[in-house]
Each structure stands twice: as structure tokens, then as C-alpha cells.
Amino acid sequence: MRHPAAAALPDLPLATPITDRAGHRRGPLLIAELVADPATRVLEVATGRARTKGGSALTLRAPEPADAERLALFLGEDREATSYLAVEVEAADDDPQWQGLRALAVALPAEQAGMLVQAVGVFNWHAVHQHCPRCGTQTEVVAAGYTRRCPADGSEHWPRTDPAVIMTVVDDDDRLLLGRHAGWPSGRFSTLAGFVEPGESLESTVRREVLEEVGVRIGEVSYLGSQPWPFPSSIMLGFDSRALTTDLHPDGAEIAEARWFERAELLDLVQRKVVGLSPRLSISRALVEHWYGERLPDPPP
Ligand SMILES: [Zn+2]
């Protein structure tokens, strides 16, 4: 019998941060100082994409004077106390030298993937928060890229992260509930998930989402781990939950199909490519394997 032994999820892709974000350094002069210091390492980001050396390491360079005019973000320091700066640049959408996080995340060293997650998450926010939500004035970037300030009313605005829960649902027979989203091909299954609404605890969101999407009532809910998911601005909060009921009523809007899987059955269906699971990049995959007790075969490319 295989049973999950670990109390938490193993190291998740995208979830390893730079050694030290060094938030205390985010003063008004920091970006200019870093651009003037040839020891600074600069990461160029173009609409969520970066360049790499053969896919296995980010391309980093020394600062150049033009960086002072670019949207810039102080990422932090590595173990050798080297400072890292991300700058936003332009690149053609079809330039193959530039690749997005989904393609790079598993290939890059964890801390480099984390730097790109950090930069992409903050730049995604800048891209759609150019104006003050109070008065509409164009805001200014301060605090080394982490804050926008309105010059008219002085209000400050910070990058937002939208919490979403994602969960395994397991019944008394130790079966796992997976759903197929409307619009997904036949055989593609995943854990259920949904955004946290204002006024909700995370546990309440787990119970509401499962009830709404498949009509199952949930008892115990336990936290397993989290993964930043900057597509464009989420954090996925992973839970295990216990089903109190087993009748399935997919809502038809978000979830087209739902079913219970036993372990041997799921392995067999994955091996025969009848069922496809989420790619290894996602916490969904880690949650399913946490229930299963070990790695499952990778989905076909
Ligand atoms: Zn304002």
C-alpha cells in the first residue's frame, strides 16, 4: 500500500525565492546606485519573458546607463551578497530567444526561477496599475519598484496578489476527486480550485468551491503548501479536504465532468494516456501525487 508520508508538499516549482529580498534597502536612491555599480546583475524581462543560456540559466548582464530610464525592480541579494535588478525591456512577441515562465520554470535553478517569478509578478501589476484608483492621475514608481504613488493625493499602491485555493478532495474510501474543466479535452483532469472572496476564510473557500463546482460537502480541511502563480497575479494555496458526501453534480459551467479515482485505477489510466494530469509545473500535480504517495508518470507532451 502506498500512503503519503510527507506532511507538506515537496519543493514546488516557482516557489523558491531569492536568498534575501533585502526590503530594508528599497529607498529612493537604490535603483540609481545599483545602475551605477558594475557588480549589479541585471535581468531583462519583456512581457513576462526572459532570455537564457540554453534554457538552463538566466542571461544576466552588468548595468547600462539606459537602465536608469527603464521600469526597474530591486530583486534582492544572493548568498554572495550580489544585488539583482530586473528591468523591463521590449522584445518581439515571436523572438525565440525570449521564453516565458511556464517554459523556463522547471529548467532554471530554483532561485533563478524565483527571481523571474518575482519580476514577472511585479511587472504584471505595473502594466495594469498605471493610474491612481482614487483620482485617475498617472502614478509614479517608488520604493525600488514595489510601490506606486499618486503625485496628486499622495496615496500609495502596492502590488497585489490574488489568493486562490486548490485542493484534493478525498472520500472515506480514500478515493480522489478530480474534475475536467469545461473547454478541456476529454480525459484531462485536475484538482478543483477557485478564488478567495472578500470575507471568506481559506477553509470556507475550499468548502464553497467544491460544493459549487461538483456538489460535494466537505468536512476537514488541512493546509499543505503554496505556490506563487504569476499568470497574472495569483498565489495558489494548496489543501487536502475530506468529502462528507460522494454524489457528483458537476456545475456544467466551470466543471464539465467529475469523477472519483482509486490509486491503481488512476495509475492505469495515466499510463495508458486515457487520463492526462496537470504538468509538473503546477501545484495541482503535486497535490495529486501527495495523495497518490509517489510520482505518477509524466503526461505526454
Ligand atoms: Zn490620486
Side-chain angles (χ1 to χ4, degrees):
M1 277 296 286
R2 283 180 293 257
H3 281 295
L9 300 178
D11 295 338
L12 291 165
L14 309 177
T16 302
I18 193 168
T19 302
D20 184 359
R21 290 196 175 197
H24 63 280
R25 294 180 60 193
R26 296 173 187 172
L29 303 176
L30 179 62
I31 298 294
E33 287 169 8
L34 291 174
V35 170
D37 182 353
T40 301
R41 309 310 295 158
V42 177
L43 168 65
E44 295 186 343
V45 178
T47 51
R49 297 165 298 153
R51 279 180 301 188
T52 63
K53 300 167 185 137
S56 61
L58 290 172
T59 300
L60 300 165
R61 61 163 170 79
E64 58 187 38
D67 291 333
E69 309 306 317
R70 294 182 167 126
L71 177 61
L73 179 75
F74 173 53
L75 296 170
E77 303 168 0
D78 68 10
R79 284 175 193 76
E80 284 76 46
T82 300
S83 294
Y84 290 81
L85 193 64
V87 296
E88 192 177 61
V89 300
E90 289 184 11
D93 285 341
D94 57 355
D95 186 334
Q97 283 194 68
W98 295 82
Q99 287 184 286
L101 254 183
R102 287 175 196 270
L104 293 175
V106 182
L108 290 174
E111 196 169 306
Q112 288 208 341
M115 289 198 293
L116 188 55
V117 169
Q118 182 183 0
V120 168
V122 176
F123 287 162
N124 282 348
W125 170 75
H126 281 293
V128 292
H129 290 82
Q130 299 277 314
H131 294 90
C132 175
R134 294 188 185 179
C135 74
T137 302
Q138 173 96 31
T139 48
E140 302 162 343
V141 179
V142 295
Y146 288 91
T147 304
R148 298 189 73 97
R149 187 163 59 207
C150 175
D153 59 29
S155 61
E156 294 192 326
H157 309 278
W158 295 278
R160 56 180 291 171
T161 298
D162 301 320
V165 297
I166 182 164
M167 50 279 178
T168 44
V169 178
V170 179
D171 75 358
D172 286 344
D173 295 326
D174 215 16
R175 295 181 303 171
L176 176 69
L177 172 63
L178 296 176
R180 181 173 66 81
H181 281 255
W184 278 6
S186 168
R188 169 84 194 273
F189 281 89
S190 173
T191 48
L192 304 181
F195 283 105
V196 181
E197 293 184 350
E200 257 183 342
S201 70
L202 304 178
E203 294 83 354
S204 301
T205 310
V206 169
R207 294 190 176 98
R208 175 179 57 76
E209 286 287 345
V210 176
L211 187 62
E212 283 177 1
E213 293 186 346
V214 296
V216 168
R217 295 200 173 275
I218 293 298
E220 188 184 331
V221 173
S222 14
Y223 175 72
L224 291 179
S226 66
Q227 182 189 42
W229 193 249
F231 308 110
S233 58
S234 298
I235 179 162
M236 306 304 294
L237 304 154
F239 291 87
D240 181 31
S241 71
R242 294 287 141 179
L244 300 176
T245 62
T246 56
D247 282 351
L248 298 175
H249 303 282
D251 66 5
E254 268 197 83
I255 300 298
E257 182 185 357
R259 59 177 284 191
W260 296 100
F261 293 91
E262 294 178 354
R263 283 189 179 75
E265 178 189 22
L266 183 62
L267 174 61
D268 175 59
L269 292 170
V270 168
Q271 280 176 333
R272 290 195 289 119
K273 300 180 181 180
V274 175
V275 162
L277 299 173
S278 302
R280 203 156 290 286
L281 174 65
S282 79
I283 189 174
S284 172
R285 177 79 177 196
L287 286 166
V288 170
E289 292 182 344
H290 182 264
W291 163 80
Y292 184 72
E294 61 184 73
R295 282 166 77 103
L296 284 156
D298 279 310

